[in-house]
Amino acid sequence: MAKRDFYDVLGVSRGASDEDIKRAYRKRAKEFHPDRNADNPDAESKFKEANEAYEVLKDAEKRAAYDRFGHAAFEPGMGMGGGPRPGGGRGPQADFASAFTDFSGVFDDLFGDFRGGARSGRQRAARGSDLRYNLRISLEEAYGGLQKSITIPTAVTCSACRGTGAEGGSEPVTCPTCSGMGKVRAQQGFFTVERTCPTCSGLGQIIKNPCPVCHGQGRTEKERTLSVNIPAGVETGTRIRLSGEGEAGMRGGPTGDLYIFIEVAEHNLFQRDGVNLYCRVPVSMTSAALGGDIEVPTIDGGRSRVKVPAGTQSGRQMRLRGKGMPALRGGAQGDMFIEMAVETPVNLTSKQRQLLREFDEESQDNHPESENFFTKVKGFWDGMKG
Ligand SMILES: [Zn+2]
Ligand SMILES: [Zn+2]
């Protein structure tokens, strides 16, 4: 069953204020609380559903992520998202960690507490996340390089508050809970535990009147179209970094980077190994025996004539110099290797059968490889007899 929209679950509009969301959640939690619904089998799942929705919508960053990606924001391995970050947690929050790998700020909020003295003092306005874009191209495109237009959903600096997150561009004020430190201390048994300040989420500042356009985030979601230059010679796994084309930072923080991950699709004629290309070409039994010419395709869309020497055996390789892939970072262009595969004819007519029988009767010293093989086999069997 498809997961319900979190706003629908709580019965609020997309633009609902934090206060509205809290009120709607309380109402539902009361209504569906299992203690009050002993004889209503649906109540428990409704109660859980409301809890799940509220967990996300009450948190500005999670809510922004949900607004942007929907439920996919909380699934591991979503299309966008940076690489894994260090210090992943365990327990119930671990799932969030994988879902939020591209929201550095959230990650720090969830796990900052457990990193001990790794960081002290207050957080600066968070840098925007790096974005990953997977781009699949053909081998021909990898050969020639290409200009590609890509559209990415991303966060950009909110123009209404110029990225400050405060209504009308007014300045944020120092957080009263932590006096701007971003951290609070609490006694826990024998230990004093330092935690990220719950009031300001570690930023050290709070916004009295959040910007209505971006809900105090200082950034809004938008689709951007970029023209990307993919150089000739890229291969699967090549990363192209576009500095400053990632997400806008939180509240005016620096912008992240965009990484294009290249995947080159398999080709039905050519196999690639680094800069070299391999192509398996069938050769008729008669051409292989008598010698001849074959025409082979090249990755640039052209063709090359290749001489088949008389007496060519299956598996013989010919090299076409410089007909491989260009090298990504300078260096010589690769070669193309043709592997000859001698094909045994099928669907013979009775005339052909007759000719081959006559050929066979005429044969002597025509198959040195076979003769060599059977000599070895005879030696092997003789050896077994002792
Ligand atoms: Zn704003
Ligand atoms: Zn604070």
Side-chain angles (χ1 to χ4, degrees), residues 231-248:
V234 291
E235 45 192 322
T236 296
T238 302
R239 280 192 334 177
I240 297 168
R241 177 166 165 265
L242 299 176
S243 180
E245 298 289 0
E247 290 201 318

PDB file of all heavy atoms in Angstrom, residues 231-248:
ATOM      1  N   PRO A 231      33.811  15.672 -21.033  1.00  0.00           N
ATOM      2  CA  PRO A 231      34.958  15.551 -21.933  1.00  0.00           C
ATOM      3  C   PRO A 231      35.045  14.167 -22.568  1.00  0.00           C
ATOM      4  O   PRO A 231      34.542  13.191 -22.015  1.00  0.00           O
ATOM      5  CB  PRO A 231      36.153  15.805 -21.013  1.00  0.00           C
ATOM      6  CG  PRO A 231      35.673  15.465 -19.646  1.00  0.00           C
ATOM      7  CD  PRO A 231      34.202  15.729 -19.620  1.00  0.00           C
ATOM      8  N   ALA A 232      35.705  14.097 -23.728  1.00  0.00           N
ATOM      9  CA  ALA A 232      35.910  12.819 -24.413  1.00  0.00           C
ATOM     10  C   ALA A 232      36.790  11.924 -23.547  1.00  0.00           C
ATOM     11  O   ALA A 232      37.702  12.409 -22.877  1.00  0.00           O
ATOM     12  CB  ALA A 232      36.576  13.051 -25.762  1.00  0.00           C
ATOM     13  N   GLY A 233      36.465  10.633 -23.528  1.00  0.00           N
ATOM     14  CA  GLY A 233      37.317   9.674 -22.819  1.00  0.00           C
ATOM     15  C   GLY A 233      36.819   9.292 -21.441  1.00  0.00           C
ATOM     16  O   GLY A 233      37.457   8.488 -20.771  1.00  0.00           O
ATOM     17  N   VAL A 234      35.691   9.849 -20.993  1.00  0.00           N
ATOM     18  CA  VAL A 234      35.195   9.490 -19.661  1.00  0.00           C
ATOM     19  C   VAL A 234      34.811   8.010 -19.647  1.00  0.00           C
ATOM     20  O   VAL A 234      34.514   7.425 -20.689  1.00  0.00           O
ATOM     21  CB  VAL A 234      33.951  10.320 -19.241  1.00  0.00           C
ATOM     22  CG1 VAL A 234      34.332  11.759 -19.001  1.00  0.00           C
ATOM     23  CG2 VAL A 234      32.841  10.202 -20.263  1.00  0.00           C
ATOM     24  N   GLU A 235      34.862   7.415 -18.475  1.00  0.00           N
ATOM     25  CA  GLU A 235      34.415   6.030 -18.357  1.00  0.00           C
ATOM     26  C   GLU A 235      33.517   5.873 -17.134  1.00  0.00           C
ATOM     27  O   GLU A 235      33.349   6.822 -16.361  1.00  0.00           O
ATOM     28  CB  GLU A 235      35.584   5.048 -18.326  1.00  0.00           C
ATOM     29  CG  GLU A 235      36.732   5.434 -17.425  1.00  0.00           C
ATOM     30  CD  GLU A 235      37.951   4.558 -17.671  1.00  0.00           C
ATOM     31  OE1 GLU A 235      37.788   3.340 -17.907  1.00  0.00           O
ATOM     32  OE2 GLU A 235      39.080   5.062 -17.613  1.00  0.00           O
ATOM     33  N   THR A 236      32.965   4.692 -16.964  1.00  0.00           N
ATOM     34  CA  THR A 236      32.117   4.437 -15.815  1.00  0.00           C
ATOM     35  C   THR A 236      32.914   4.697 -14.545  1.00  0.00           C
ATOM     36  O   THR A 236      34.016   4.193 -14.400  1.00  0.00           O
ATOM     37  CB  THR A 236      31.606   2.985 -15.849  1.00  0.00           C
ATOM     38  OG1 THR A 236      30.780   2.843 -17.003  1.00  0.00           O
ATOM     39  CG2 THR A 236      30.795   2.648 -14.602  1.00  0.00           C
ATOM     40  N   GLY A 237      32.351   5.507 -13.658  1.00  0.00           N
ATOM     41  CA  GLY A 237      33.050   5.832 -12.413  1.00  0.00           C
ATOM     42  C   GLY A 237      33.729   7.196 -12.453  1.00  0.00           C
ATOM     43  O   GLY A 237      34.125   7.717 -11.422  1.00  0.00           O
ATOM     44  N   THR A 238      33.847   7.793 -13.633  1.00  0.00           N
ATOM     45  CA  THR A 238      34.429   9.133 -13.714  1.00  0.00           C
ATOM     46  C   THR A 238      33.498  10.110 -12.995  1.00  0.00           C
ATOM     47  O   THR A 238      32.292  10.068 -13.172  1.00  0.00           O
ATOM     48  CB  THR A 238      34.586   9.583 -15.189  1.00  0.00           C
ATOM     49  OG1 THR A 238      35.405   8.657 -15.875  1.00  0.00           O
ATOM     50  CG2 THR A 238      35.214  10.977 -15.268  1.00  0.00           C
ATOM     51  N   ARG A 239      34.100  10.961 -12.142  1.00  0.00           N
ATOM     52  CA  ARG A 239      33.315  11.973 -11.433  1.00  0.00           C
ATOM     53  C   ARG A 239      33.692  13.335 -11.962  1.00  0.00           C
ATOM     54  O   ARG A 239      34.858  13.651 -12.066  1.00  0.00           O
ATOM     55  CB  ARG A 239      33.642  11.960  -9.941  1.00  0.00           C
ATOM     56  CG  ARG A 239      32.966  10.885  -9.173  1.00  0.00           C
ATOM     57  CD  ARG A 239      33.082  11.085  -7.686  1.00  0.00           C
ATOM     58  NE  ARG A 239      34.248  11.853  -7.277  1.00  0.00           N
ATOM     59  CZ  ARG A 239      34.491  12.177  -6.018  1.00  0.00           C
ATOM     60  NH1 ARG A 239      33.665  11.827  -5.072  1.00  0.00           N
ATOM     61  NH2 ARG A 239      35.568  12.860  -5.701  1.00  0.00           N
ATOM     62  N   ILE A 240      32.700  14.137 -12.254  1.00  0.00           N
ATOM     63  CA  ILE A 240      32.980  15.501 -12.687  1.00  0.00           C
ATOM     64  C   ILE A 240      32.450  16.431 -11.611  1.00  0.00           C
ATOM     65  O   ILE A 240      31.272  16.368 -11.249  1.00  0.00           O
ATOM     66  CB  ILE A 240      32.315  15.780 -14.046  1.00  0.00           C
ATOM     67  CG1 ILE A 240      32.915  14.851 -15.102  1.00  0.00           C
ATOM     68  CG2 ILE A 240      32.483  17.236 -14.450  1.00  0.00           C
ATOM     69  CD1 ILE A 240      32.145  14.826 -16.387  1.00  0.00           C
ATOM     70  N   ARG A 241      33.322  17.269 -11.066  1.00  0.00           N
ATOM     71  CA  ARG A 241      32.909  18.143  -9.973  1.00  0.00           C
ATOM     72  C   ARG A 241      32.628  19.531 -10.513  1.00  0.00           C
ATOM     73  O   ARG A 241      33.449  20.120 -11.197  1.00  0.00           O
ATOM     74  CB  ARG A 241      34.033  18.204  -8.935  1.00  0.00           C
ATOM     75  CG  ARG A 241      33.752  19.138  -7.790  1.00  0.00           C
ATOM     76  CD  ARG A 241      34.740  18.859  -6.659  1.00  0.00           C
ATOM     77  NE  ARG A 241      34.746  19.936  -5.695  1.00  0.00           N
ATOM     78  CZ  ARG A 241      35.623  20.944  -5.728  1.00  0.00           C
ATOM     79  NH1 ARG A 241      36.536  21.005  -6.663  1.00  0.00           N
ATOM     80  NH2 ARG A 241      35.571  21.890  -4.817  1.00  0.00           N
ATOM     81  N   LEU A 242      31.440  20.030 -10.202  1.00  0.00           N
ATOM     82  CA  LEU A 242      31.103  21.392 -10.568  1.00  0.00           C
ATOM     83  C   LEU A 242      31.040  22.199  -9.283  1.00  0.00           C
ATOM     84  O   LEU A 242      30.072  22.128  -8.526  1.00  0.00           O
ATOM     85  CB  LEU A 242      29.768  21.445 -11.322  1.00  0.00           C
ATOM     86  CG  LEU A 242      29.756  20.665 -12.640  1.00  0.00           C
ATOM     87  CD1 LEU A 242      28.377  20.680 -13.259  1.00  0.00           C
ATOM     88  CD2 LEU A 242      30.765  21.249 -13.613  1.00  0.00           C
ATOM     89  N   SER A 243      32.087  22.917  -9.052  1.00  0.00           N
ATOM     90  CA  SER A 243      32.246  23.645  -7.800  1.00  0.00           C
ATOM     91  C   SER A 243      31.158  24.700  -7.640  1.00  0.00           C
ATOM     92  O   SER A 243      30.872  25.456  -8.570  1.00  0.00           O
ATOM     93  CB  SER A 243      33.633  24.285  -7.803  1.00  0.00           C
ATOM     94  OG  SER A 243      33.810  24.991  -6.616  1.00  0.00           O
ATOM     95  N   GLY A 244      30.523  24.717  -6.469  1.00  0.00           N
ATOM     96  CA  GLY A 244      29.529  25.742  -6.178  1.00  0.00           C
ATOM     97  C   GLY A 244      28.189  25.561  -6.872  1.00  0.00           C
ATOM     98  O   GLY A 244      27.345  26.437  -6.837  1.00  0.00           O
ATOM     99  N   GLU A 245      27.978  24.385  -7.501  1.00  0.00           N
ATOM    100  CA  GLU A 245      26.696  24.150  -8.172  1.00  0.00           C
ATOM    101  C   GLU A 245      25.798  23.226  -7.352  1.00  0.00           C
ATOM    102  O   GLU A 245      24.795  22.738  -7.823  1.00  0.00           O
ATOM    103  CB  GLU A 245      26.911  23.545  -9.570  1.00  0.00           C
ATOM    104  CG  GLU A 245      27.678  24.434 -10.531  1.00  0.00           C
ATOM    105  CD  GLU A 245      26.878  25.641 -10.998  1.00  0.00           C
ATOM    106  OE1 GLU A 245      25.714  25.798 -10.578  1.00  0.00           O
ATOM    107  OE2 GLU A 245      27.434  26.438 -11.770  1.00  0.00           O
ATOM    108  N   GLY A 246      26.171  22.981  -6.108  1.00  0.00           N
ATOM    109  CA  GLY A 246      25.339  22.159  -5.225  1.00  0.00           C
ATOM    110  C   GLY A 246      24.260  22.999  -4.567  1.00  0.00           C
ATOM    111  O   GLY A 246      23.829  24.009  -5.108  1.00  0.00           O
ATOM    112  N   GLU A 247      23.869  22.584  -3.356  1.00  0.00           N
ATOM    113  CA  GLU A 247      22.804  23.290  -2.681  1.00  0.00           C
ATOM    114  C   GLU A 247      23.295  24.555  -1.995  1.00  0.00           C
ATOM    115  O   GLU A 247      24.420  24.607  -1.503  1.00  0.00           O
ATOM    116  CB  GLU A 247      22.194  22.383  -1.615  1.00  0.00           C
ATOM    117  CG  GLU A 247      21.408  21.255  -2.197  1.00  0.00           C
ATOM    118  CD  GLU A 247      20.423  20.714  -1.188  1.00  0.00           C
ATOM    119  OE1 GLU A 247      20.779  20.574  -0.014  1.00  0.00           O
ATOM    120  OE2 GLU A 247      19.287  20.453  -1.589  1.00  0.00           O
ATOM    121  N   ALA A 248      22.406  25.521  -1.932  1.00  0.00           N
ATOM    122  CA  ALA A 248      22.710  26.725  -1.170  1.00  0.00           C
ATOM    123  C   ALA A 248      22.861  26.334   0.291  1.00  0.00           C
ATOM    124  O   ALA A 248      22.251  25.384   0.759  1.00  0.00           O
ATOM    125  CB  ALA A 248      21.582  27.740  -1.327  1.00  0.00           C
TER     126      ALA A 248
END
